[in-house]
């Protein structure tokens, strides 16, 4: 790709590549193949939770405030009723429940909910039901009702934390569910939980590491 773009330099004034996500050695090889003046910078960070060792050891390395908040979230989530965490098989019926949860979430009122956009809804529906894509739907149900969910994808020994959401009337279920996902990742001997792009404070509180997504500008 680098060589092909380099050969087409006469066709553009400036090539701006955002979301370049590859190991550093791949980036160096890409820039070398371009054979053109270029600049590179960190575009986004992806907080990650490295899951080597045990879950309890991980928690002990968190701050006292973090551990207290997590315990409080678990207690409050269970106070809503019969609260159960599950890993459910993606289906059309479950997808309808996911949309209902998003509709009762705070992002829907703001107009920024992922499933509010019909194109995104169609994309995610296809991704969840595709047999070649290792998608997971973690759920938190209260008295049988879906209160929160988190869609994750498995890539080799990594878990990608893609889309979480919860009904606003069920306080603390989102944090409780994330804690159980992290616990499960430790128990399955995965290498990490990648919280994906974004430096939100809750992600940074959970993370033990970050990876960079870069932007590359190439002169024509």
């Amino acid at each position: 790709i680098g060589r092909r773009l380099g050969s087409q330099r006469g066709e553009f004034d400036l090539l701006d590549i955002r979301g370049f996500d590859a190991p550093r050695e791949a980036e160096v090889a890409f820039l070398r193949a371009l054979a053109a003046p270029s600049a590179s910078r960190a575009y986004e960070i992806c907080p990650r939770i490295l899951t080597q060792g045990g879950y309890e050891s991980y928690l002990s390395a968190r701050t006292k405030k973090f551990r207290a908040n997590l315990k409080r979230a678990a207690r409050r989530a269970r106070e809503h009723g019969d609260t159960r965490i599950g890993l459910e098989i993606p289906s059309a019926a479950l997808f309808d429940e996911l949309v209902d949860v998003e509709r009762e979430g705070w992002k829907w009122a703001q107009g920024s909910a992922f499933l509010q956009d019909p194109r995104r809804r169609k994309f995610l529906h296809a991704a969840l039901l595709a047999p070649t894509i290792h998608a997971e739907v973690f759920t938190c149900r209260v008295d049988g009702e879906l209160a929160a969910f988190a869609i994750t994808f498995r890539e080799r020994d990594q878990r990608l934390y893609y889309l979480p959401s919860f009904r606003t009337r069920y306080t603390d279920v989102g944090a409780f569910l994330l804690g159980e996902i992290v616990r499960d990742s430790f128990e399955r001997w995965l290498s990490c939980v990648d919280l994906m792009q974004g430096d939100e404070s809750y992600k940074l509180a959970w993370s033990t590491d970050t990876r960079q997504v870069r932007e590359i500008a190439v002169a024509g």
Side-chain angles (χ1 to χ4, degrees):
I1 294 174
R3 286 193 297 271
R4 181 174 180 180
L5 289 173
S7 69
Q8 296 175 331
R9 282 176 55 200
E11 300 177 22
F12 57 84
D13 296 318
L14 179 69
L15 179 65
D16 187 5
I17 304 171
R18 298 188 180 187
F20 188 91
D21 184 6
R24 177 60 179 165
E25 56 270 21
E27 180 186 351
V28 171
F30 177 72
L31 295 178
R32 186 183 301 117
L34 284 171
S38 61
S40 173
R41 72 175 181 95
Y43 175 63
E44 285 271 19
I45 66 166
C46 297
R48 302 191 302 172
I49 305 166
L50 303 182
T51 50
Q52 292 82 17
Y55 181 63
E56 296 306 321
S57 296
Y58 162 77
L59 286 182
S60 67
R62 303 290 90 202
T63 65
K64 183 177 181 180
K65 181 180 180 180
F66 177 92
R67 294 193 298 272
N69 288 342
L70 186 59
K71 287 182 180 179
R72 182 167 58 250
R75 183 183 72 251
R76 288 178 175 175
R78 293 189 175 102
E79 288 173 351
H80 291 300
D82 181 18
T83 303
R84 298 178 182 271
I85 301 295
L87 182 56
E88 302 190 24
I89 298 173
S91 66
L94 178 59
F95 191 82
D96 289 341
E97 288 187 275
L98 305 185
V99 177
D100 286 341
V101 171
E102 281 256 280
R103 191 173 284 113
E104 285 193 40
W106 62 271
K107 288 186 178 181
W108 195 280
Q110 288 188 346
S112 60
F114 186 92
L115 294 173
Q116 203 166 3
D117 185 328
R119 296 166 300 176
R120 288 181 173 180
R121 191 182 305 181
K122 182 178 179 180
F123 159 76
L124 189 58
H125 185 272
L128 290 180
L129 299 182
T132 56
I133 297 177
H134 194 162
E136 303 170 315
V137 183
F138 283 89
T139 59
C140 177
R141 292 187 178 274
V142 177
D143 296 330
E145 182 181 39
L146 186 61
F149 70 85
I151 295 172
T152 64
F153 293 97
R154 291 279 291 277
E155 184 181 64
R156 298 184 296 277
D157 63 342
Q158 300 181 69
R159 176 169 275 152
L160 310 179
Y161 186 71
Y162 183 71
L163 178 64
S165 190
F166 61 93
R167 301 181 197 266
T168 52
R169 56 190 163 93
Y170 289 113
T171 57
D172 294 282
V173 291
F176 176 52
L177 179 58
L178 176 54
E180 294 306 299
I181 292 172
V182 174
R183 183 197 302 274
D184 180 80
S185 301
F186 273 94
E187 292 176 351
R188 292 178 187 270
W189 297 92
L190 300 180
S191 66
C192 81
V193 178
D194 192 323
L195 299 176
M196 309 296 285
Q197 292 186 30
D199 59 355
E200 292 96 323
S201 58
Y202 85 91
K203 290 184 179 182
L204 296 175
W206 280 92
S207 69
T208 59
D209 182 50
T210 60
R211 66 179 176 85
Q212 291 186 345
V213 178
R214 305 189 67 80
E215 178 181 15
I216 298 173
V218 184

